[in-house]
């Protein structure tokens, strides 16, 4: 799909369809929507008066122009209430508009840049958000369907801007938006891929191909190497599986090798989580192919970072393995020793994410000396209960990093929320047999999970993103705007924007 910025007037644009917008409560549209309404001899105003066009966020109404305009169709997307308008709503509206015209069968369409005009947003930021919304909104995963004859796709989307100088700056913004949107789509592709394809080796091969294409450093810590490094927690989880495990490492040297090691991003990649010997109930167990979503986001973010080239060093680390029961599998009661020497009593083999993260985080903080370090993991079902699907829980030892992640979330739409980490909660993971145990019981399960992970980062500024709810890897999660209903790529854009923000400091 082509995505270009052109100078022009939407009411004069010729093609299969154009997208304009409408705020809730507006009875006489102004700007581009007003111009289109005029050409349509007041049809939009009439539809508003009749209550068919309301401007509600999430709406996308298509009307046919019957040759009153050079374009065949007009799609009016709702922007919601003006006082609630945000950059992310512009992103959502952009997705809603292009999806509606695509589904109506259009191929070549043009859209105004939502939020830049009447919305009052900075033109460049709006253009980037629109591009992100369009690229992400049009994502589909059809590779395993034999019959795709009914699948609709757009060939060309034109972002129209009337001012030539403005259009020039928007071109850079659209390029950034496209890179970021495509990276998110990459994370979605990986998460949606079934467990029999997306093995640790597959993820390593994808990372390797990205490294080659975008000139990143790449290496893998395999089972033998992990043994030499004393990664007993990671290996404990991996020992029940016949698939070779891998800790995938991608390094971007945007500040040069003489500068600080820089940002570390670490993502849990359990390519299938059966629970192991503490086996999960079979209902909806298939969703656990998405238990590598944190790792997918890390790999995808590294791709975008390599393209955007911020002046900062960034290392992505992805511990990847299956969690399966077998005659070789680790068991409840087993005691594992992590790479920093700490011993862990296994209470549940289903609390495996924190175990693989433990060794990956020791490697990130002690071996590679990365700082800050941010990990993302589909860690706990309790997170879904606490915050549902609309916000990621942030657990951190650093206030500044927490605030930055919150800010990034408001702008990207990958919304974050700081969770408490009072030391009292830590007592729940004290063990009678070892230095700590891998579960703290049902109360505050996400917080005790975060405390477990925190025990492996030392004093390094660190944040943990529990994306179990926000990544949408569950039956029944919904499509909203540019967010697809299953495995939506969170927190790829958070990682990318974090690298960009830290590079500016
Ligand atoms: N991958 C799961 C968490 C999960 C659950 C993610 C639902 C997405 C949706 C994780 O490995 C897990 O099994 N966590 C356990 C931890 C418990 C045994 C302490 C959980 O949440 O039940
Ligand atoms: Mn589990
Ligand atoms: Zn898991």
């Amino acid at each position: 799909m082509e995505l270009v910025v052109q100078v022009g007037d939407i009411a004069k644009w010729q093609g299969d369809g154009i997208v304009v917008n409408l705020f809730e409560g507006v009875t006489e549209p102004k700007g581009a929507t007003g111009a289109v309404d005029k050409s349509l001899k007041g049809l939009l105003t009439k539809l508003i008066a009749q209550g068919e066009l309301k401007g509600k966020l999430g709406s996308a109404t298509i009307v046919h122009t019957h040759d009153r305009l050079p374009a065949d169709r007009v799609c009016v997307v709702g922007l919601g209430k003006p006082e609630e308008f945000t950059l992310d709503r512009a992103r959502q509206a952009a997705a809603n508009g292009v999806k509606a015209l695509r589904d109506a069968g259009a191929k070549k369409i043009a859209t105004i840049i939502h939020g830049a005009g009447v919305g009052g947003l900075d033109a460049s930021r709006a253009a980037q958000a629109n591009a992100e919304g369009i690229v992400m909104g049009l994502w589909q995963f059809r590779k395993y369907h034999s019959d795709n004859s009914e699948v609709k796709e757009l060939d060309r989307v034109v972002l129209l801007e009337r001012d030539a100088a403005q259009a020039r700056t928007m071109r850079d913004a659209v390029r950034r938006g496209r890179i970021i949107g495509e990276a998110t789509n990459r994370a979605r592709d990986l998460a949606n891929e079934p467990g029999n394809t997306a093995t640790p080796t597959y993820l390593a091969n994808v990372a390797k191909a990205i490294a080659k294409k975008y000139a990143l450093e790449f290496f893998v810590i395999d089972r033998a190497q992990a043994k030499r490094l004393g990664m007993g927690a990671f290996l404990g989880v991996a020992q029940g599986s016949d698939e070779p495990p891998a800790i995938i490492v991608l390094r971007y040297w945007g500040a040069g090798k003489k500068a600080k090691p820089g940002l570390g991003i670490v993502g849990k990649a359990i390519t299938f989580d059966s629970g192991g010997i503490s086996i999960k109930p079979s209902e909806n167990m298939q969703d656990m192919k998405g238990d590598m979503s944190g790792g997918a986001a890390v790999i995808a973010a590294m791709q975008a970072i390599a393209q955007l080239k911020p002046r900062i060093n960034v290392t992505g680390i992805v511990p990847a393995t299956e969690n399966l029961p077998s005659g070789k599998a680790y068991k409840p009661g087993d005691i594992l020793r992590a790479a920093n020497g700490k011993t862990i009593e296994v209470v549940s083999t289903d609390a495996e994410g924190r175990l693989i993260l433990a060794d990956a985080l020791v490697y990130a903080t002690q071996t590679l000396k990365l700082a800050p370090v941010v990990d993302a993991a589909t860690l706990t079902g309790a997170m879904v209960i606490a915050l549902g699907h609309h916000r990621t829980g942030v657990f951190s030892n650093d206030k500044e990093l927490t605030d930055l992640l919150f800010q990034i979330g408001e702008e990207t739409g990958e919304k974050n929320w700081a969770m408490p980490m009072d030391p009292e909660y830590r007592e729940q993971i004290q063990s009678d047999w070892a230095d700590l145990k891998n579960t703290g019981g049902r109360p505050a399960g996400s917080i005790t999970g975060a405390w477990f992970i925190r025990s492996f980062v030392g004093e390094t500024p660190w944040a943990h993103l529990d994306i179990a709810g926000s990544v949408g890897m569950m039956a029944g999660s919904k499509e909203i705007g540019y967010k697809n209903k299953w495995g939506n790529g969170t927190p790829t854009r958070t990682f990318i924007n974090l690298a960009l923000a830290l590079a500016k400091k």
Side-chain angles (χ1 to χ4, degrees):
M1 193 261 306
E2 269 185 285
L3 181 65
V4 294
V5 179
Q6 281 181 2
V7 183
D9 183 347
I10 194 111
K12 300 206 177 93
W13 193 83
Q14 187 173 3
D16 301 328
I18 57 174
V19 187
V20 292
N21 60 40
L22 186 69
F23 273 113
E24 236 177 291
V26 171
T27 51
E28 286 168 34
K30 305 267 178 320
T33 312
V36 166
D37 184 43
K38 206 162 277 165
S39 301
L40 291 174
K41 304 207 164 58
L43 175 61
L44 301 184
T45 312
K46 194 171 164 186
L47 287 171
I48 294 168
Q50 290 172 339
E52 250 190 86
L53 259 183
K54 295 200 189 84
K56 286 230 185 300
L57 184 70
S59 68
T61 310
I62 294 177
V63 298
H64 287 259
T65 62
H66 298 281
D67 298 327
R68 283 181 181 157
L69 280 170
D72 292 333
R73 303 170 186 85
V74 172
C75 176
V76 183
V77 295
L79 297 179
K81 297 196 173 79
E83 67 273 19
E84 290 176 359
F85 190 64
T86 59
L87 185 67
D88 190 55
R89 288 193 165 194
R91 194 180 279 115
Q92 292 178 44
N96 292 331
V98 296
K99 278 196 294 182
L101 283 174
R102 174 196 65 191
D103 295 345
K107 291 286 173 197
K108 290 183 171 52
I109 67 168
T111 176
I112 57 167
I113 292 163
H114 308 294
V118 201
L121 297 172
D122 170 70
S124 170
R125 289 173 71 221
Q128 182 183 324
N130 274 254
E132 290 171 5
I134 291 167
V135 171
M136 292 188 288
L138 294 174
W139 178 84
Q140 304 182 73
F141 190 78
R142 300 283 313 173
K143 65 185 276 198
Y144 293 103
H145 292 271
S146 307
D147 183 3
N148 284 323
S149 58
E150 300 287 301
V151 173
K152 292 174 171 136
E153 269 177 88
L154 292 172
D155 294 334
R156 186 174 164 85
V157 179
V158 178
L159 292 155
L160 272 185
E161 163 58 41
R162 295 165 62 123
D163 182 82
Q166 193 84 288
R168 271 194 294 281
T169 61
M170 282 178 167
R171 282 200 182 102
D172 275 340
V174 167
R175 177 184 163 267
R176 285 196 298 277
R178 181 171 196 135
I179 288 170
I180 292 168
E182 282 174 352
T184 307
N185 289 349
R186 162 84 79 166
R188 294 171 175 182
D189 282 336
L190 292 173
N192 279 264
E193 200 66 54
N196 58 338
T197 305
T199 59
T201 306
Y202 176 94
L203 293 181
N205 286 336
V206 169
K208 189 178 182 178
I210 290 171
K212 189 162 181 224
K213 184 159 181 196
Y214 301 105
L216 294 169
E217 182 185 339
F218 163 84
F219 60 92
V220 159
I221 298 169
D222 64 9
R223 215 191 280 264
Q225 180 70 13
K227 205 169 270 173
R228 283 193 284 276
L229 293 169
M231 296 174 157
F234 172 71
L235 289 169
V237 177
Q239 81 190 33
S241 165
D242 291 339
E243 279 294 332
I247 296 183
I248 302 158
V249 183
L250 284 170
R251 309 198 79 177
Y252 165 75
W253 293 101
K257 295 204 175 173
K258 290 196 187 108
K260 285 182 288 186
L263 171 66
I265 54 178
V266 179
K268 169 181 173 182
I270 293 293
T271 59
F272 186 73
D273 183 12
S274 69
I277 297 296
S278 314
I279 199 160
K280 289 180 181 295
S282 59
E283 195 182 3
N284 292 326
M285 203 204 271
Q286 68 274 19
D287 287 337
M288 286 299 139
K289 70 173 183 177
D291 209 22
M292 33 59 73
S293 292
V298 167
I299 293 170
M302 291 306 293
Q303 167 182 306
I305 290 165
Q307 289 175 274
L308 295 169
K309 298 191 175 17
R311 276 181 187 277
I312 183 178
N313 293 333
V314 186
T315 300
I317 302 176
V318 180
T321 177
E322 294 181 323
N323 183 26
L324 294 181
S326 84
K328 292 184 295 177
Y330 79 138
K331 305 173 292 300
D334 286 1
I335 294 177
L336 308 174
R337 189 183 295 274
N340 65 347
K342 282 197 184 171
T343 55
I344 304 159
E345 177 199 353
V346 177
V347 171
S348 169
T349 64
D350 198 11
E352 83 298 336
R354 61 199 72 183
L355 295 172
I356 68 168
L357 285 170
D359 280 330
L361 287 167
V362 169
Y363 187 73
T365 57
Q366 284 182 224
T367 310
L368 300 184
K369 309 245 181 298
L370 304 171
V373 170
V374 180
D375 77 74
T378 47
L379 203 79
T380 63
M383 197 69 243
V384 190
I385 304 303
L387 294 183
H389 300 288
H390 306 301
R391 281 188 188 265
T392 296
V394 179
F395 304 80
S396 178
N397 58 9
D398 189 284
K399 174 82 168 60
E400 211 182 314
L401 186 56
T402 306
D403 290 347
L404 180 56
L405 287 164
F406 176 81
Q407 196 49 47
I408 288 170
E410 297 309 292
E411 287 173 22
T412 56
E414 288 180 345
K415 293 191 281 184
N416 294 314
W417 195 258
M419 298 289 290
M421 284 207 80
D422 304 84
E424 291 91 320
Y425 290 105
R426 209 205 157 262
E427 289 163 24
Q428 285 173 238
I429 54 169
Q430 230 124 52
S431 165
D432 290 338
W433 315 97
D435 296 331
L436 66 174
K437 58 183 178 182
N438 78 334
T439 75
R442 280 169 62 83
S446 306
I447 303 175
T448 53
W451 261 114
F452 183 96
I453 294 170
R454 183 170 173 169
S455 314
F456 297 88
V457 299
E459 297 304 309
T460 306
W462 152 88
H464 156 62
L465 307 175
D466 193 334
I467 57 170
S470 56
V471 81
M473 54 171 275
M474 282 175 117
S477 56
K478 287 200 194 79
E479 174 176 345
I480 307 174
Y482 57 81
K483 276 190 187 160
N484 58 304
K485 70 172 181 192
W486 200 97
N488 62 36
T490 301
T492 304
R493 292 178 300 128
T494 300
F495 280 149
I496 300 165
N497 283 284
L498 179 63
L500 298 178
L502 293 176
K504 285 191 195 129
K505 285 203 169 165

